[in-house]
Amino acid sequence: MRPPRSAIAIRHVAFEDLGLLAPIMERAGWSVSFCDAPVDDLADRAIRDADLLIVLGGPIGVYETETYPFLSTEIALLEQRLRRGLPTLGICLGAQLMAQALGGRVFPGKVKEIGWGPVELTADGKSSCLRNLHSKVLHWHGDTFDLPRGAVRLAANADYENQAFAYGRNALALQFHLEADPRQLEEWYVGHAIELSAAKVSISELRAATHALARPVAVQAEQVFGDWLLSIAPGDSVLGSSAGG
């Protein structure tokens, strides 16, 4: 029997975790452990060499390295992994950190994007693991990034042209929260209460939209993440610009 492959998920706040991705990874034979970025040693070799690294979201900016010094270590970690072609998944803040690690610029966007909304796939996106992205996705960000050199844009929408990108065959960055479990978003409403209030987002309306989309978003998470996990090749250091399928 094949031993489980090891994945490490980097968290920035406890409630933004793997969500829907956790059971998908378990069924795919992955053993997952967590690292909390603000307090754990991000330079640990086990993190650097993990079969898969997942960098999750959080309510801070990539450029706030003086306030949150661990971000610099996290960026350096991602630079090493992406240079080696090791499987890496970034979600929201994680995607922005990947963009920074690849030389892209991360900066405040023109609008705060919070709530369920569409993305449109590029031609490359339609031939990637995102081809099964048919429902709305959860947006929850105010920052954005320039597409890094060598990366392939996979998705965009009216407000932000860079919603997802691939880098080589083993790296995927998602600005949106495909992993968000509708059943766990009550924790987000509390944890991000100040941000939601400042953005004038109605929690009751967001809750209703979440309830209505619970089934389709779970199905598309299973399809997209399932396809991507099948496509990555731990230990394969061959780089190249592709849609990352």
Side-chain angles (χ1 to χ4, degrees), residues 163-236:
Q163 288 284 358
F165 70 83
Y167 185 75
R169 65 175 296 180
N170 285 336
L172 177 66
L174 305 176
Q175 176 62 79
F176 47 87
H177 288 277
L178 186 64
E179 88 297 349
D181 186 342
R183 297 168 297 181
Q184 297 176 320
L185 286 184
E186 290 295 331
E187 296 180 76
W188 294 44
Y189 305 151
V190 177
H192 292 306
I194 295 175
E195 180 183 30
L196 289 168
S197 177
K200 295 181 170 52
V201 174
S202 167
I203 294 177
S204 62
E205 291 179 4
L206 184 54
R207 180 181 289 120
T210 300
H211 178 74
L213 291 166
R215 176 59 182 165
V217 300
V219 171
Q220 73 178 6
E222 178 81 39
Q223 293 174 332
V224 172
F225 286 132
D227 284 355
W228 187 72
L229 289 170
L230 284 173
S231 77
I232 60 177
D236 183 353

Side-chain angles (χ1 to χ4, degrees), residues 1-242:
M1 184 176 179
R2 182 179 182 178
R5 290 173 292 180
S6 66
I8 294 180
I10 297 181
R11 290 183 297 210
H12 301 92
V13 288
F15 59 86
E16 290 199 35
D17 59 13
L18 288 175
L20 295 170
L21 182 52
I24 297 170
M25 294 190 67
E26 183 178 358
R27 289 191 292 272
W30 288 89
S31 173
V32 184
S33 58
F34 286 90
C35 169
D36 292 305
V39 294
D40 290 335
D41 180 11
L42 298 179
D44 188 282
R45 183 173 180 176
I47 302 174
R48 186 186 67 201
D49 296 337
D51 291 332
L52 169 60
L53 183 69
I54 304 168
V55 186
L56 297 166
I60 56 178
V62 171
Y63 41 79
E64 296 183 278
T65 52
E66 289 190 10
T67 304
Y68 306 104
F70 66 84
L71 288 170
S72 295
T73 307
E74 201 166 356
I75 293 166
L77 166 66
L78 285 167
E79 286 177 348
Q80 292 179 5
R81 285 191 63 90
L82 294 168
R83 184 171 62 246
R84 296 166 63 195
L86 297 178
T88 305
L89 172 64
I91 297 173
C92 202
L93 173 61
Q96 296 162 9
L97 286 163
M98 287 174 65
Q100 178 76 26
L102 290 168
R105 181 176 64 108
V106 180
F107 54 95
K110 58 184 180 181
V111 296
K112 179 79 74 170
E113 191 175 34
I114 299 177
W116 296 93
V119 293
E120 294 186 9
L121 300 182
T122 64
D124 289 305
K126 291 176 182 177
S127 62
S128 77
C129 63
L130 299 185
R131 61 185 173 273
N132 289 311
L133 200 62
H134 303 305
S135 180
K136 293 180 179 179
V137 296
L138 181 64
H139 300 280
W140 205 304
H141 70 106
D143 287 350
T144 188
F145 52 85
D146 292 330
L147 187 69
R149 183 177 180 180
V152 177
R153 182 182 292 111
L154 302 180
N157 68 6
D159 290 321
Y160 290 102
E161 67 175 353
N162 293 315
Q163 288 284 358
F165 70 83
Y167 185 75
R169 65 175 296 180
N170 285 336
L172 177 66
L174 305 176
Q175 176 62 79
F176 47 87
H177 288 277
L178 186 64
E179 88 297 349
D181 186 342
R183 297 168 297 181
Q184 297 176 320
L185 286 184
E186 290 295 331
E187 296 180 76
W188 294 44
Y189 305 151
V190 177
H192 292 306
I194 295 175
E195 180 183 30
L196 289 168
S197 177
K200 295 181 170 52
V201 174
S202 167
I203 294 177
S204 62
E205 291 179 4
L206 184 54
R207 180 181 289 120
T210 300
H211 178 74
L213 291 166
R215 176 59 182 165
V217 300
V219 171
Q220 73 178 6
E222 178 81 39
Q223 293 174 332
V224 172
F225 286 132
D227 284 355
W228 187 72
L229 289 170
L230 284 173
S231 77
I232 60 177
D236 183 353
S237 61
V238 177
L239 282 176
S241 297
S242 72

